[in-house]
Each structure stands twice: as structure tokens, then as C-alpha cells.
Amino acid sequence: MSQYDDVWLVIPAYNEGQVIADVVEGARKTFPNIVVVDDGSADDSAKHIMSTGAHLVRHPVNLGQGAALQTGLAYALAQPGAQYFATFDADGQHQTADVEKMVEFLRAGEADVVLGSRFIEQNGQVPWIKRVVLRTAATVSPTARKLKLTDSHNGLRVLNREAAGRLRITMNGMAHASEIVSFLAGSDLRVAELPVDILYTDYSRAKGQSLINGVNIIFDISLRERGRR
């Protein structure tokens, strides 16, 4: 038995065959319950996932990270005893120690959702241009401002069962991050940020979403939010 038997890690994966087994095996040392959604990968990701003991769900075609997260959350919510749900990247950037800290914060009843932030504590790991873009994104987003977020596009999140059950991600691509923030801002759920450490490797940098595309997504969501007012 593990003290984290009631926690499920949800990992969306697309063509992560090089690293996914190491990421999952490392996470399972602390969190025994992991579902990896292979989002239509063209490589051997599924084979590597199956070797880890994690639960594997496969999309027959690539639908995007938002859709993979929604699939994974739905799967995890259906599992007996599941109470806490963490979204966790497949490229090795996230740290299980941060998930532990975030889960314990929720257990203490301090919030319903905890979002990771790269900017509460300045550790120098975030490349300077990425730092500028992400901080700007948090500033221009009306919903991020409403929640007083410092990092609106961090993929490391932990939700309790109520929050996870109410969340519906409809934007399949990377715009899902802004959609989640918008949902939280319009809900009565208690939202908190905690500092997290992001490990930027050569692999994760190469796989990362382009900064220009990220800015375009933020502005698109921001315009939609304003248009609904």
C-alpha cells in the first residue's frame, strides 16, 4: 500500500518513445496509479508505456493534448478510490516531489485545485525569453488576472475529485491550458498556486511548443473571453 493510492497521474503522450518509459517508471516509485494516453503516436511510445505497468489508453489518431488530458481524467475518475488527479508531462520536465507537495496541500483542505508556478520562486531554470512570454501571457489573460496567477500555462496541476469531475476540456490542442484557467475563473472552486521546479533538458526544449504559437493561443483565448462580456 502507498500513501498515494488515491492519487492518479494523467500523462498525455505523443511520440515520446525516447523518454516515456523512464518518466513513468520514475513517477511510479511514488505514485502507483498512472494512466498514459498515447495520443495517436507514430513511434513506439505504446510499447514503452506497456513495459512500465502504467495504464495505457490509446487514441487511434492524434487529437491534441487537451483531448488526451480529458480522456485520461475520465479514465482516472472511473477508478475505485481515486480522489486526486495530477496532470503530468511526458517529457521529463515535471518532478514528483512537486506533485507530493501539491497533493498534501489539497489534503489539508486549503484548495480544490493547485496549479504549479515557475515564477513564485526564481530558480533561474526558465530560459529568459520563455520567462518573458509566459509572464506576459499571464498578464494579458483576464482570467489569469482574476485568479491572480503568475503562471497560466504550467502543465503541472493537481485537482481534487470535485474539480476533476466538473472540468470539461473541449479544446483539443494546446489552447486547453487557457480553457482550464477560464473554467476555474468562472467557477466557485478554490484555486491556489505553489512553486514548482521544471527540468529543461535538451529533449524537452526540442519538443516544446513554439513561443510564438503559445502567444497566439493566449491572445486568441483572451479575445474570446472579452467577446463574451
Side-chain angles (χ1 to χ4, degrees), residues 6 40 59 63 69 75 93 110 134 150-151 157 184 188 192 216 223 228:
D6 57 352
H59 285 167
L63 297 177
L69 285 174
Y75 182 92
Q93 288 194 113
E110 300 291 339
L134 291 172
T150 62
D151 189 357
R157 318 169 186 88
L184 293 174
D188 59 354
N216 287 339
L223 289 173
R228 288 197 293 264

Side-chain angles (χ1 to χ4, degrees), residues 14-160:
Y14 178 63
N15 292 340
E16 302 284 6
Q18 293 182 51
V19 298
I20 189 63
D22 288 341
V23 170
V24 174
E25 287 167 356
R28 288 196 76 227
K29 293 175 182 177
T30 305
F31 297 100
N33 300 317
I34 298 177
V35 55
V36 184
V37 179
D38 178 12
D39 188 31
S41 295
D43 66 358
D44 56 357
S45 291
K47 180 184 73 174
H48 291 290
I49 295 164
M50 286 189 290
S51 73
T52 66
H55 295 238
L56 170 64
V57 179
R58 301 183 73 176
H59 285 167
V61 296
N62 178 244
L63 297 177
Q65 192 175 97
L69 285 174
Q70 185 62 48
T71 295
L73 285 169
Y75 182 92
L77 280 161
Q79 305 310 306
Q83 295 296 325
Y84 302 98
F85 308 85
T87 63
F88 198 84
D89 282 357
D91 58 9
Q93 288 194 113
H94 293 158
Q95 313 301 308
T96 55
D98 288 326
V99 180
E100 292 180 71
K101 175 177 61 179
M102 296 162 82
V103 168
E104 296 308 324
F105 193 86
L106 291 188
R107 287 197 203 282
E110 300 291 339
D112 301 301
V113 179
V114 180
L115 306 177
S117 173
R118 288 160 280 197
F119 306 118
I120 294 176
E121 295 178 357
Q122 303 296 329
N123 58 23
Q125 292 294 316
V126 184
W128 72 268
I129 191 165
K130 194 177 189 74
R131 182 186 301 274
V132 169
V133 170
L134 291 172
R135 292 305 298 269
T136 301
T139 301
V140 301
S141 169
T143 51
R145 290 201 308 272
K146 180 178 179 180
L147 293 172
K148 297 181 172 61
L149 299 184
T150 62
D151 189 357
S152 60
H153 256 228
N154 196 316
L156 185 56
R157 318 169 186 88
V158 182
L159 304 85
N160 65 15

